Amino acid sequence: RRSASRLLGLLKEPGLVDLLLGRVKHKEVIKFHADKGYWILPAGNRTQNPSDLLGSARMKSFVADCKQAFDLVVIDTPPAGPVVDPAIISQLCDTIVLVVRWAVTGREMVKSAAQQLSGQQKIAGVVFNQVDDRQIPKYGKHAYYYGARHYKNYYSD
């Protein structure tokens, strides 16, 4: 769905799909964001067979090259479950972080995703997004949670 590319204003830029199809070279599509201090590869054009491209030898080679060139490589995938793409990508990753929508995604869905992706026990942890601070007290006095207000002194925009 190319949401990360959309969010970063790179929706119409060539990217991973174009690279894997051999239409562009990696130096043409990996962009450096000086103000944020990171490199990004947009999704690129749509394709009818993303699973085939992600499982290709070209993708394996590209990820291996990125691991050599960068200190940290983060690969954002669609949600596990509805499509096979995350399972394919997980084979190329050293570790996995599951992102779970808090109070919406069911436990069985999380368990299924973890089982689908943990073939080599590479899951480092779970990150909850869209957490509602007002709902935290319903988990009782023993709930353990640090909201954004607890970290304001440690992180800045």
Side-chain angles (χ1 to χ4, degrees):
R1 298 180 79 181
R2 308 181 306 165
S3 57
S5 295
R6 182 180 303 107
L7 179 70
L8 296 168
L10 299 170
L11 190 59
K12 297 184 183 201
E13 298 287 325
L16 180 62
V17 170
D18 308 283
L19 178 71
L20 296 177
L21 290 173
R23 296 177 183 160
V24 294
K25 304 264 188 241
H26 72 276
K27 291 180 181 182
E28 299 173 58
V29 292
I30 299 177
K31 312 282 184 186
F32 183 69
H33 284 265
D35 57 329
K36 302 288 185 185
Y38 61 81
W39 295 85
I40 185 164
L41 173 63
N45 288 303
R46 295 177 191 254
T47 181
Q48 295 298 319
N49 57 351
S51 301
D52 292 341
L53 288 177
L54 295 175
S56 69
R58 187 173 277 171
M59 178 67 175
K60 292 174 187 166
S61 175
F62 176 68
V63 170
D65 291 346
C66 287
K67 287 179 181 181
Q68 293 295 317
F70 297 99
D71 295 328
L72 177 68
V73 178
V74 176
I75 303 174
D76 183 31
T77 68
V83 293
V84 71
D85 300 2
I88 294 169
I89 293 295
S90 72
Q91 301 301 312
L92 306 174
C93 298
D94 296 328
T95 192
I96 297 166
V97 175
L98 288 176
V99 179
V100 176
R101 187 171 177 189
W102 185 77
V104 174
T105 307
R107 290 180 182 169
E108 288 303 315
M109 177 61 83
V110 175
K111 182 179 178 181
S112 175
Q115 289 171 339
Q116 178 186 10
L117 300 175
S118 66
Q120 295 151 16
Q121 299 183 352
K122 298 188 278 187
I123 295 180
V126 176
V127 173
F128 290 98
N129 66 3
Q130 300 182 7
V131 175
D132 184 352
D133 287 341
R134 296 170 295 168
Q135 296 290 321
I136 298 300
K138 80 177 189 178
Y139 289 97
K141 66 179 182 178
H142 300 292
Y144 188 75
Y145 169 76
Y146 285 105
R149 67 183 176 274
H150 296 287
Y151 291 107
K152 67 183 176 185
N153 295 329
Y154 299 102
Y155 301 102
S156 65
D157 294 334

